[in-house]
Amino acid sequence: MASKGLQSFSRSLKTLRAFTSSSKDPLTQCLAPRLSRSMATETSMPSQISREYDPTFFQTATDPAFELQVLTTIYKFPTMEPLRFESYASKHLHLPLRRDILHRAVIFEGDFTRQGTASTKTRWEVHGSHRKIRPQKGMGSARLGTKQSPMLKGGGKSFGPHPRDFATALPKKMYDLAWRTALSWRYRRGELIVCEDGMDIEHPYGRFVKQIFDHNHWGKADGRSLVITGDFKENLHTAMQEAGEDGRVQTVREVDVKDLLELGRVIIEKRALDEILAEHQSDLVSKVRSAV
């Protein structure tokens, strides 16, 4: 009996030693302090978390009139000093990327700019007599008809181009959505820089604009920039023409969706941005009217 008790005691001792050795495992000793520190905090809970639950929040969020807002910093050009924040609707500057809609808008704009004035004359429109130029046989030459034949120099053109309209159709609501999608894509990437009204420089020299662009990393090395103004600014336009390698400047009436996507960033006057958003929201106006 004593031997059996001694054997059981030895087995218990071996188990205890094994447990003690496993508790000294380096991995366990390294993980335990990290887990305890990561779960602890030395800061107080935010006041927003301690507020009581408001059951009307989800009712407000699902309300058709409820609209999320995004903040945009307004800068002073050309010093780029931040002045204030402006809030815009998320349906204006925070839309998801839709490559299909942007592609259709760019194709629509490209087709609309095609002149379609190329024109050629058929054999019936070329000036001259339509008699047979030589006998059918007996001359030792190939058979020919009139001198207006497409096989002869100066003759008509077979299947040549004629004036036509290359414009394609695109619903206005989809085109307006493409405008806001392009602006949202720039905004989400941090490449939409909104400046205060009155964007202009004191002197119409390209070196001043180049210094501004180099200082803010807007130039050719960083992808060039598109400057959009509400109206024509003589000094700014003249200077940008001299510094054309760093970007270009356009008024709000000269810009299209392709321009918003083409260069590295968009520097836009607040007045111009508001005008674009007000003009291209036909798909939103109908929804609001139907809800009312």
Side-chain angles (χ1 to χ4, degrees), residues 11-203:
R11 284 196 299 269
S12 302
L13 184 61
K14 289 180 180 179
T15 304
L16 181 61
R17 289 177 179 176
F19 175 77
T20 307
S21 61
S22 63
S23 63
K24 294 182 180 180
D25 182 49
L27 181 61
T28 306
Q29 293 179 350
C30 292
L31 286 178
R34 293 184 181 179
L35 291 174
S36 62
R37 286 197 298 268
S38 63
M39 297 177 65
T41 178
E42 298 180 358
T43 59
S44 59
M45 296 292 291
S47 59
Q48 293 82 356
I49 299 179
S50 61
R51 291 187 302 180
E52 296 182 357
Y53 168 70
D54 185 7
T56 62
F57 170 76
F58 291 102
Q59 299 177 3
T60 306
T62 56
D63 187 2
F66 179 79
E67 195 171 25
L68 296 177
Q69 302 287 326
V70 294
L71 291 179
T72 303
T73 307
I74 307 298
Y75 297 92
K76 181 179 180 180
F77 189 85
T79 60
M80 301 313 296
E81 175 187 357
L83 300 178
R84 65 184 186 279
F85 288 103
E86 287 287 341
S87 61
Y88 287 91
S90 59
K91 294 181 180 180
H92 287 170
L93 292 183
H94 208 267
L95 292 175
L97 178 60
R98 290 288 304 272
R99 297 177 183 271
D100 55 337
I101 293 180
L102 293 177
H103 177 264
R104 292 193 59 177
V106 172
I107 296 299
F108 167 74
E109 293 172 348
D111 292 342
F112 186 77
T113 56
R114 297 183 65 176
Q115 294 182 354
T117 56
S119 180
T120 56
K121 292 182 179 182
T122 64
R123 64 186 304 168
W124 309 110
E125 296 173 339
V126 177
H127 178 73
S129 173
H130 288 273
R131 71 177 182 85
K132 189 176 178 64
I133 59 177
R134 61 172 173 253
Q136 182 79 352
K137 296 181 179 180
M139 301 294 294
S141 300
R143 296 170 290 182
L144 284 177
T146 64
K147 67 177 182 180
Q148 291 86 1
S149 173
M151 295 183 296
L152 298 179
K153 183 179 179 180
K157 178 72 174 178
S158 297
F159 308 107
H162 297 283
R164 54 167 293 190
D165 184 12
F166 286 94
T168 54
L170 184 68
K172 178 174 175 54
K173 293 184 179 180
M174 185 177 296
Y175 187 55
D176 290 348
L177 180 60
W179 273 87
R180 303 198 315 275
T181 301
L183 291 173
S184 300
W185 181 71
R186 288 298 190 186
Y187 175 82
R188 295 164 70 95
R189 290 169 57 93
E191 297 172 349
L192 181 65
I193 304 171
V194 185
C195 297
E196 185 64 290
D197 295 345
M199 288 178 55
D200 206 352
I201 57 177
E202 296 182 1
H203 306 286

